[in-house]
Amino acid sequence: AKHDMEVDPRKTAGHSSAETLVENQTHLVAAVDDLLTKVLASAKECAVEFSDILSVCYSEVEARFPEIATRIVGGFFFLRFVCPYIVTLHDIDGVTPDGRRRFILISKII
């Protein structure tokens, strides 16, 4: 089901009660959780070359920052690949301005 995910009271067209914003936040968090679950579940379907590149990145980062290597490489992956993909989904025919806003909100949370 399509749920409102707007969490900016200035962009809710007058429907910005605290209760509505909390409900929208809940929908947004659920959408992000669903996306992350799907991305992580599809890791084994990743192209071998891409997996190799991320593995090399991890090895290099781990050599300098062993305690946070996973966070750094994960951040790199999401900020350089997943988020740009999400925010360009609006180029697909039929995506409404509301749909585009949802994509942007999801990418901001990630």
Side-chain angles (χ1 to χ4, degrees):
K2 181 174 131 178
H3 298 290
D4 194 358
M5 296 182 208
E6 185 57 67
V7 292
D8 184 346
R10 298 169 295 177
K11 296 186 180 197
T12 58
H15 307 295
S16 62
S17 72
E19 183 177 303
T20 300
L21 292 174
V22 168
E23 186 175 315
N24 292 355
Q25 182 181 26
T26 301
H27 295 150
L28 179 58
V29 169
V32 169
D33 184 57
D34 185 46
L35 176 69
L36 290 175
T37 299
K38 288 176 180 173
V39 168
L40 295 173
S42 67
K44 294 199 185 298
E45 298 172 29
C46 181
V48 173
E49 297 83 1
F50 191 70
S51 180
D52 289 347
I53 290 169
L54 290 176
S55 181
V56 169
C57 287
Y58 181 82
S59 295
E60 293 295 318
V61 171
E62 186 181 38
R64 287 194 65 175
F65 308 101
E67 61 282 342
I68 58 171
T70 301
R71 288 176 46 199
I72 291 172
V73 175
F76 168 76
F77 171 72
F78 278 96
L79 291 173
R80 293 292 178 205
F81 297 100
V82 175
C83 290
Y85 174 76
I86 292 169
V87 297
T88 58
L89 286 173
H90 71 276
D91 291 336
I92 298 172
D93 288 337
V95 174
T96 65
D98 285 343
R100 181 175 190 279
R101 178 69 180 156
R102 285 184 182 92
F103 293 142
I104 290 170
L105 288 169
I106 289 169
S107 71
K108 285 181 175 185
I109 298 298
I110 290 177

